């Protein structure tokens, strides 16, 4: 795992944007895995700006959203499909048919998980997976537990995750209890992983991921076993890591 500590969230986001832009320049038909949430917001804005400036071309890029709430339609303002549309897809030249996301309204959620897993496999897996990290060290909606769940699956969201996401909803009790998430094996089979961490609320989780035991109780810790991970963190998130880089 390569560690890069940045002075600010803005600097972190700029470094992430340049990394993604360079990746797409190297492989114009890249398959990207995309995380929602607060941390990648500025990254997505910068990618939209770069696309309008002609610095990056998404016309051949395919994307897979990392997760989705069960029970929210794609056009619901709090669905992750809507989040990505509003914050990224509306601002880049990506083709609609190249955008993939789990269907939280599917009649058969187990069948939908299998369909999504098969869709990822059909394109040869993810070239670049963009991840955030939850306060409890979850990645995607892979929550702490007694085992790593390998494939796209249904997950019951922890109370910590629901509380962290409550800011996106009108009422704190509104975040759904269940979601679909890409599994750990699908994440680990990605060719490259870009992990973003910002803010003091991620300090403990990031320490667990980088310094703690590799355990499903801190799902992000498994990323240390991947051959090509770049962690971009700001000083607040990396406070317990010290100044050392390039783990």
């Amino acid at each position: 795992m390569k560690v890069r500590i940045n002075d600010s969230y803005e600097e972190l986001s700029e470094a992430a944007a340049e990394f993604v832009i360079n990746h797409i320049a190297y492989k114009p038909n890249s398959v990207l895995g995309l995380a929602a949430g607060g941390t990648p917001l500025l990254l997505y804005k910068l990618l939209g700006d770069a696309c309008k400036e002609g610095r990056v071309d998404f016309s051949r890029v395919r994307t897979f959203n990392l997760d989705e709430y069960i029970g929210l339609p794609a056009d619901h303002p709090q669905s992750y499909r809507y989040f990505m549309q509003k914050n990224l897809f509306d601002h880049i030249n990506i083709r609609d048919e190249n955008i993939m996301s789990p269907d939280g309204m599917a009649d058969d959620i187990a069948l939908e998980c299998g369909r999504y897993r098969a869709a990822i496999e059909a394109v040869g897996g993810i070239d670049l997976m963009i991840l955030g990290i939850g306060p409890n060290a979850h990645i995607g909606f892979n929550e702490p537990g007694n085992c790593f769940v390998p494939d796209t699956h249904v997950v019951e969201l922890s109370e910590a995750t629901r509380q962290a996401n409550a800011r996106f909803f009108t009422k704190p009790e509104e975040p759904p209890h269940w979601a679909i998430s890409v599994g750990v094996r699908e994440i680990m089979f990605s060719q490259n992983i870009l992990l973003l961490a910002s803010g003091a609320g991620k300090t403990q989780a990031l320490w667990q991921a980088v310094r703690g035991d590799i355990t499903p109780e801190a799902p992000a810790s498994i990323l240390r076993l991947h051959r090509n991970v770049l962690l971009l963190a700001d000083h607040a998130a990396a406070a317990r890591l010290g100044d050392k880089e390039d783990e």
Side-chain angles (χ1 to χ4, degrees):
M1 179 183 288
K2 295 181 180 179
V3 179
R4 297 285 184 271
I5 301 173
N6 301 267
D7 288 337
S8 66
Y9 171 64
E10 290 75 19
E11 183 179 298
L12 175 162
S13 302
E14 290 168 0
E18 289 304 312
F19 186 86
V20 176
I21 290 167
N22 290 335
H23 180 89
I24 295 173
Y26 177 76
K27 187 176 183 183
N29 63 339
S30 289
V31 179
L32 305 182
L34 301 177
T39 303
L41 268 175
L42 183 53
L43 162 62
Y44 295 148
K45 180 184 183 303
L46 293 171
L47 290 176
D49 292 344
C51 186
K52 292 171 186 175
E53 295 165 1
R55 296 177 54 221
V56 61
D57 178 13
F58 286 88
S59 63
R60 297 172 59 195
V61 169
R62 288 172 289 187
T63 65
F64 285 83
N65 282 12
L66 198 58
D67 40 31
E68 184 56 275
Y69 289 117
I70 292 175
L72 297 188
D75 60 354
H76 190 285
Q78 272 70 52
S79 79
Y80 284 163
R81 178 62 179 83
Y82 182 94
F83 175 97
M84 293 305 307
Q85 189 70 42
K86 177 182 176 183
N87 292 294
L88 181 62
F89 301 146
D90 281 345
H91 309 285
I92 60 177
N93 63 329
I94 193 168
R95 298 175 181 176
D96 288 343
E97 62 267 27
N98 286 345
I99 297 171
M100 299 290 290
S101 60
D103 182 2
M105 296 296 291
D107 293 332
D108 187 328
I109 294 296
L111 189 64
E112 172 62 12
C113 290
R115 179 200 71 82
Y116 204 65
R117 178 178 66 250
I120 294 174
E121 292 174 352
V123 299
I126 305 297
D127 293 310
L128 174 59
M129 180 70 77
I130 299 170
L131 298 175
I133 183 170
N136 60 1
H138 74 244
I139 46 176
F141 273 143
N142 291 282
E143 294 278 29
N146 57 14
C147 67
F148 292 108
V149 182
D151 299 316
T152 300
H153 60 286
V154 174
V155 58
E156 183 175 12
L157 302 179
S158 69
E159 188 58 29
T161 296
R162 293 184 69 248
Q163 289 178 5
N165 291 345
R167 68 189 188 278
F168 298 113
F169 291 79
T170 304
K171 299 178 181 178
E173 68 272 15
E174 285 184 345
H177 288 263
W178 298 88
I180 298 172
S181 179
V182 166
V184 170
R185 177 166 57 192
E186 291 155 328
I187 291 172
M188 292 296 285
F189 277 8
S190 303
Q191 293 297 312
N192 303 274
I193 295 175
L194 179 62
L195 177 63
L196 308 178
S198 175
K202 304 297 177 67
T203 302
Q204 177 62 22
L206 196 59
W207 184 89
Q208 290 177 306
V210 178
R211 298 275 192 264
D213 293 336
I214 296 176
T215 169
E217 294 179 359
S221 63
I222 199 172
L223 298 177
R224 299 214 306 276
L225 301 180
H226 194 278
R227 64 190 176 279
N228 196 10
V229 179
L230 173 62
L231 164 62
L232 296 175
D234 60 19
H235 280 296
R240 289 194 63 190
L241 301 184
D243 295 326
K244 186 177 181 181
E245 298 188 347
D246 288 323
E247 287 293 310

